[in-house]
Amino acid sequence: AARRAGDASRARDAYLRALAQNPQQAEAAAALRAIEQQQMARTQADRAARPRSMETLVAGAKSRAQAQTQAESYDLEQRIELVRAGDVTAGLREARAWAEANAGDREGRGRLAAAVAERAGDAERKGQRESALSLYEAANALRGEPLPEWTGKARELRRALGEAQYADGVRAMRTDLAAAIRHFEACLRFDPEHARARERLREARVAQEKLRKLAPR
């Protein structure tokens, strides 16, 4: 409605709020891009109509650079909001796309990474350890230079998740060797240095093979 009324600023804000609630709202994303393109096209047309003096050319170059910087800043802010308030999967996808397109912007990548780490902390507090682990590792990847705090949290989560899988595997050994093997393998994926899990996995595979040989054919 704001767009139809010619109020591009209010329309842009409304579309951004819509995307924060639903990052997959394609119409809102397309409308945002269209507004930015229209504004840039108008600005360029206005400049083309002015006298092409040297002062005008210099001023135009500066204005275009400023407009580009503002557009990039807006694009970054939009993705940070999506990470913070939207669907985690969609937010990460958008964050990675921005980071790939702006690999040299260390500050922007750091801000995106911090937003992802915030979601990781939320997931950890809710007991969602696998999700938290994935998000801490994604935050380090986005940042480009791993942060010791996030690396430490990821390491702790890997050990905790590995230990939980190991305990499940030990319980399953009594009744279900196939399930025990799956748990021990999962443990080692989380914590490759888990020596007890490696030994138990070997024992479970040997026992499974013996049972297979004893089974009637």
Side-chain angles (χ1 to χ4, degrees), residues 157-212:
L157 285 164
R158 280 192 168 278
R159 287 175 180 166
L161 286 163
E163 196 60 37
Q165 289 290 342
Y166 173 76
D168 288 342
V170 170
R171 284 191 292 271
M173 278 281 282
R174 304 184 188 96
T175 57
D176 190 340
L177 286 173
I181 289 171
R182 288 195 297 272
H183 285 302
F184 294 139
E185 288 175 339
C187 171
L188 290 169
R189 283 197 297 272
F190 286 122
D191 184 4
E193 303 302 319
H194 201 297
R196 289 173 299 159
R198 187 175 292 106
E199 179 60 23
R200 288 282 192 154
L201 176 60
R202 187 190 65 78
E203 291 174 3
R205 284 174 172 167
V206 169
Q208 188 182 54
E209 183 60 25
K210 286 180 179 179
L211 287 175
R212 189 176 292 125

Side-chain angles (χ1 to χ4, degrees), residues 67-109:
Q68 180 66 23
T69 299
Q70 290 173 344
E72 290 172 356
S73 176
Y74 173 77
D75 200 32
L76 173 60
E77 295 298 331
Q78 179 183 349
R79 280 162 172 76
I80 289 173
E81 287 303 314
L82 290 176
V83 169
R84 285 176 175 163
D87 174 76
V88 173
T89 302
L92 275 178
R93 183 174 61 247
E94 291 297 318
R96 288 179 180 126
W98 190 95
E100 287 177 8
N102 300 272
D105 189 344
R106 294 178 63 184
E107 181 182 354
R109 292 181 63 175

Side-chain angles (χ1 to χ4, degrees), residues 1-12 15 27 31 35 38:
R3 192 177 177 195
R4 285 195 297 271
D7 190 342
S9 178
R10 191 160 62 90
R12 189 167 52 243
Y15 286 132
E27 293 182 15
I35 289 172
Q38 288 168 0

Side-chain angles (χ1 to χ4, degrees), residues 115-167:
V116 173
E118 286 178 15
R119 293 299 296 267
D122 290 341
E124 189 176 4
R125 284 187 290 274
K126 293 174 182 175
Q128 301 167 354
R129 292 186 295 188
E130 286 194 49
S131 178
L133 170 61
S134 176
L135 288 167
Y136 278 127
E137 291 180 339
N140 269 335
L142 281 169
R143 191 172 185 270
E145 297 177 4
L147 198 66
E149 179 186 355
W150 301 343
T151 301
K153 286 182 176 293
R155 188 184 304 114
E156 291 172 7
L157 285 164
R158 280 192 168 278
R159 287 175 180 166
L161 286 163
E163 196 60 37
Q165 289 290 342
Y166 173 76

Side-chain angles (χ1 to χ4, degrees), residues 49-77:
R50 297 172 188 166
R52 304 294 286 178
S53 65
M54 183 57 67
E55 292 80 2
T56 301
L57 290 172
V58 171
K62 288 181 178 179
S63 180
R64 284 192 295 276
Q66 184 179 12
Q68 180 66 23
T69 299
Q70 290 173 344
E72 290 172 356
S73 176
Y74 173 77
D75 200 32
L76 173 60
E77 295 298 331

